[in-house]
Amino acid sequence: MHDIRYIRENPTGFDAGLRRRGLGGQAQQILELDQSWRSATARHQELLSARNDASKKIGQAKAKKDEAEAQRLMAEVARLKDEIPAMELRVRESEEALNEILGTLPNLPAADVPEGVDETANQEMRRWGTPRQVNFAARQHFDIGETLGLMDFEAAAKMSGARFVILRGKLARLERALANFMLDLHTGTFGYEEVVPPFLVRDQAMYGTAQLPKFREEQFGTTNGFWLIPTSEVPLTNQVREMILDESQLPMRFTAWTPCFRSEAGAAGRDTRGMIRMHQFSKVELVSIATPEQSAAEHERMTACAEEVLKRLELPHRTMVLSTGDMGFAAQRTHDIEVWLPGQNAFREISSCSNCGDFQARRMNARFKPADGKSNRFVHTLNGSGLAVGRTLIAVLENYQQADGSISIPAVLRPYMGGEETIKPHG
């Protein structure tokens, strides 16, 4: 949600930020709706004040035995009582119209975000590792998993349709090993607090993190008012909804390993084979709640935490800053981490780490009390994948594949795999 005071004071700057996002100016329409709401609110307060004043004067007139004045005042109160509900409706309708447009506009990009219409304008920040060269034809993860006899898309499709998979045996354990390794690293080394959140949330939670209303078609909803979480960013961030925190509590850092559910609306024809783009997948999420002064450094820290997972797995990767046309709806600035996939001979996204500024906090009314005792301020929220577990499994399969069809298990995962070093076909 945008700060209406900023738009009032800087409509030109607001529209300039939207134009960097590829949108037209909206400030004039917003200010007109804002003026309508403010006028209706002021008139509503005038009517309430007039009614209260007239009600008091009725008693005074009766005390003076001025029945004519009392009757006039009573008629005035009756008229005001009829007018007030209509004005209340105007206030509500104008406020809803204002919030509707504000709720569907994306966050404004930070000043240092590269401008561009899509991913072609993204800029590389750094890279780590050297893509592995093999003396055999590198296969994609689905070929590897199916040859192992441990990845089954056909059986999954029979019960659930496309974009689902069944992992069995050692591949199932490898996915669990990856998630446990990530959680242990983020909690034990980086100080994130592990959380087991709800996997079903209501509208207000999805609105708070900006999945609603704009991206309703991308979500899975139940028939009784719940949404399956598209990422644990939603419940982790909404933990501070409608709270006033002490500045001493910040930054707060949370992590969770959860299933995630996405309809993948608009993804027709993209990554139709394999596990890259699924309706159900698991992810270890990182969420930080920070002060405005902390959030830029917290963003760099979060990105580094996600990168460290890949470093310890010895997976080559690069880190990109996304352009204005490629960023997510709620983000001010986003760093994408892309892992090297030999089977595709390409880097593919495995984590997005975003600083949302106070955009989500305004939607959730999440604030903090500054140590200096000044007025409460909105927190800044940040989220990132630490990492997407299924995509990390893909990266391990493709980077650790051997000529004989087996998979060498990364050293850091072997304690989580009962000491095993290799997954062999039909293992």
Side-chain angles (χ1 to χ4, degrees), residues 293-312:
E293 293 74 21
Q294 295 168 338
S295 67
E298 189 68 17
H299 191 202
E300 296 295 336
R301 182 186 190 277
M302 176 180 286
T303 305
C305 292
E307 290 171 334
E308 186 63 24
V309 176
L310 293 172
K311 290 177 181 178
R312 298 200 182 195

Side-chain angles (χ1 to χ4, degrees), residues 164 198-200 206 211 218-221 227-232 258-264 278-283:
F164 289 93
F199 302 161
L200 292 167
M206 295 285 275
Q211 279 77 25
E218 296 183 14
Q219 316 305 325
F220 282 116
W227 298 95
L228 291 165
I229 59 170
T231 162
S232 57
T258 68
C260 305
F261 305 90
R262 297 182 187 176
S263 72
E264 292 296 338
M278 308 290 286
H279 289 314
Q280 175 188 317
F281 58 97
S282 70
K283 185 152 67 88

Side-chain angles (χ1 to χ4, degrees), residues 84-101:
I84 285 171
M87 190 55 59
E88 287 176 343
L89 179 61
R90 275 190 58 191
V91 169
R92 185 166 62 252
E93 289 177 342
S94 58
E95 184 176 23
E96 288 174 353
L98 177 61
N99 287 337
E100 181 177 358
I101 187 171

Side-chain angles (χ1 to χ4, degrees), residues 150-198:
L150 303 175
M151 185 180 290
D152 195 334
F153 295 97
E154 184 177 349
K158 288 178 181 178
M159 66 179 84
S160 302
R163 300 192 188 275
F164 289 93
V165 68
I166 293 172
L167 299 179
R168 299 192 183 97
K170 291 179 183 177
L171 278 196
R173 184 169 184 177
L174 183 60
E175 178 167 276
R176 176 161 52 92
L178 283 164
N180 284 330
F181 162 66
M182 294 175 194
L183 288 174
D184 286 349
L185 181 64
H186 293 315
T187 58
T189 301
F190 299 130
Y192 286 85
E193 180 182 6
E194 186 174 354
V195 177
V196 179

Side-chain angles (χ1 to χ4, degrees), residues 244-266:
I244 300 176
L245 306 165
D246 287 330
E247 184 174 353
S248 61
Q249 295 176 265
L250 305 175
M252 303 171 75
R253 301 180 179 120
F254 305 111
T255 186
W257 171 35
T258 68
C260 305
F261 305 90
R262 297 182 187 176
S263 72
E264 292 296 338

Side-chain angles (χ1 to χ4, degrees), residues 95-123:
E95 184 176 23
E96 288 174 353
L98 177 61
N99 287 337
E100 181 177 358
I101 187 171
L102 289 175
T104 56
L105 292 175
N107 203 348
L108 301 184
D112 59 351
V113 171
E115 191 161 346
V117 297
D118 55 27
E119 68 276 3
T120 59
N122 296 347
Q123 294 180 3

